[in-house]
Amino acid sequence: MFKRCLPLLFIFVACAAFAPDVLAQQAVPDSLSQGGFPSISVSAGDNDYSVPIQILLLVTVLSLAPAIVILMTSFTRLVVVLGILRQALGMQQSPPSQVMIGLALFLTLFVMFPVFEQVNDNALQPFLEGTIGQKEATENAIRPFRHFMLAQTRDKDLALFMDLGKIDAFDNEDSVPLHVLVPAFVISELRIAFQIGFLIFLPFLVVDLIVASVLMSMGMMMLPPIMISMPIKLLLFVLSDGWFLLVESIMAAYR
C-alpha cells in the first residue's frame, strides 16, 4: 500500500510529467546539434507543455510535495494531536519525533487511501494510458481532494476566506478554488486538533494537581511533582488502552 500511495501524493497538483506522446514526438533542437544553446518552446502542441517546461514543473511539484502532504490531507490534525499527547504525558523525547511523524504519516495514508484510489482510477491510470490529457487529469485528480477537504471544513472558516477574497458564492463544490479552500481546511483541522488536545490534557492535568497537593501536604516540597506524576500518568494511559482509544476516535471523525 505504501508503494502504491506515494506516487499519488504528487499527481493531484497535476503539472504531470512526461506524457509518452510528447516525449516520443519532441525533436532535438537544431541549435543544440550545431553547438548553440537549445531553444525552449512553451507549447508542444495539443495544449501540452514542452519537455523543458514539464521538467521545470516536475521539480516544482517535488519541492512543494511536503507542503501538499501537510496542508491538503489529515496529516495536520494527526501530528498536532500526537504532539499534544506527548506534552500531556510530560515526556519531551519519548516517543521520538521520528516515530510520531512516521505514525502520523501512515495514519494519513490510511485515512486518505480512498481518495488516492479515486485519483489513481480517474486521473493517473487514464493519463498514463493516453486516454485523457494533462488538463483533464489535473481536474480529475484535484476533485477527490476538494471533496475531502470540503467535508472536513467548517462553513464559518470557508466563509471567512470567501469574504477576504471578495467571493460571494460558488456554483457547486467543483468551483471552489483551492486558494480559498486550503487555508479554511487547515484552520478547521487545527481547531479540531486543539479540541482533542484539550480532552487529552484534562485527565493528566488532574493527576498533576493531585500529586502536587499530596506532596505539599506531606511537606515534600523539594521533590519535583513530575517525578511522581509521570509514572502514574503512564500507568493510567496504558491501563485505559490510550493508543487504541486515541486512534479510534481520530479515525472515526474521518468516516
Side-chain angles (χ1 to χ4, degrees), residues 89 204 207-208 211-212 224-234:
L89 289 172
F204 296 127
V207 172
D208 287 332
V211 170
I226 193 172
M227 294 184 61
I228 307 300
S229 63
M230 184 184 295
I232 297 176
K233 290 189 289 186
L234 287 175

Side-chain angles (χ1 to χ4, degrees), residues 19-223:
D21 54 341
V22 176
L23 288 176
Q25 298 173 6
Q26 188 74 18
V28 178
D30 295 336
S31 57
L32 181 62
S33 61
Q34 297 174 359
F37 291 101
S39 60
I40 298 177
S41 60
V42 176
S43 176
D46 297 332
N47 296 325
D48 283 340
Y49 294 113
S50 63
V51 174
I53 299 300
Q54 291 187 33
I55 295 175
L56 177 62
L57 294 175
L58 178 62
V59 173
T60 304
V61 169
L62 293 178
S63 64
L64 295 177
I68 294 169
V69 173
I70 291 173
L71 298 181
M72 298 181 67
T73 65
S74 60
F75 183 83
T76 300
R77 183 190 303 185
L78 290 166
V79 76
V80 171
V81 170
L82 292 177
I84 292 176
L85 172 63
R86 187 169 65 177
Q87 293 292 328
L89 289 172
M91 297 183 297
Q92 302 298 324
Q93 302 296 331
S94 184
S97 298
Q98 294 86 343
V99 174
M100 304 293 278
I101 294 175
L103 176 60
L105 177 60
F106 275 92
L107 290 176
T108 300
L109 292 176
F110 180 82
V111 171
M112 302 297 297
F113 189 74
V115 177
F116 292 154
E117 282 190 320
Q118 295 181 41
V119 173
N120 182 61
D121 296 339
N122 301 329
L124 180 59
Q125 294 303 324
F127 176 74
L128 294 178
E129 294 171 0
T131 57
I132 61 176
Q134 293 178 0
K135 183 177 180 180
E136 187 177 354
T138 299
E139 296 174 352
N140 293 345
I142 292 177
R143 189 174 297 115
F145 285 91
R146 181 182 283 113
H147 292 170
F148 170 80
M149 289 188 289
L150 281 172
Q152 304 299 327
T153 303
R154 282 197 313 172
D155 295 338
K156 182 179 180 180
D157 297 329
L158 186 60
L160 169 64
F161 287 95
M162 289 175 60
D163 293 339
L164 294 176
K166 302 185 185 316
I167 300 175
D168 295 331
F170 303 113
D171 296 334
N172 50 56
E173 291 185 352
D174 293 335
S175 63
V176 180
L178 291 180
H179 76 276
V180 172
L181 179 57
V182 171
F185 169 74
V186 172
I187 64 174
S188 295
E189 289 289 281
L190 290 175
R191 168 182 164 272
I192 297 175
F194 276 69
Q195 290 177 340
I196 298 174
F198 171 77
L199 297 177
I200 292 173
F201 247 108
L202 198 57
F204 296 127
L205 179 61
V206 172
V207 172
D208 287 332
L209 291 175
I210 293 175
V211 170
S213 300
V214 170
L215 291 178
M216 185 172 294
S217 64
M218 296 175 62
M220 304 175 64
M221 292 178 293
M222 301 300 295
L223 180 63

Side-chain angles (χ1 to χ4, degrees), residues 227-246:
M227 294 184 61
I228 307 300
S229 63
M230 184 184 295
I232 297 176
K233 290 189 289 186
L234 287 175
L235 181 62
L236 175 65
F237 188 73
V238 171
L239 291 179
S240 63
D241 202 0
W243 288 110
F244 175 84
L245 295 176
L246 179 64

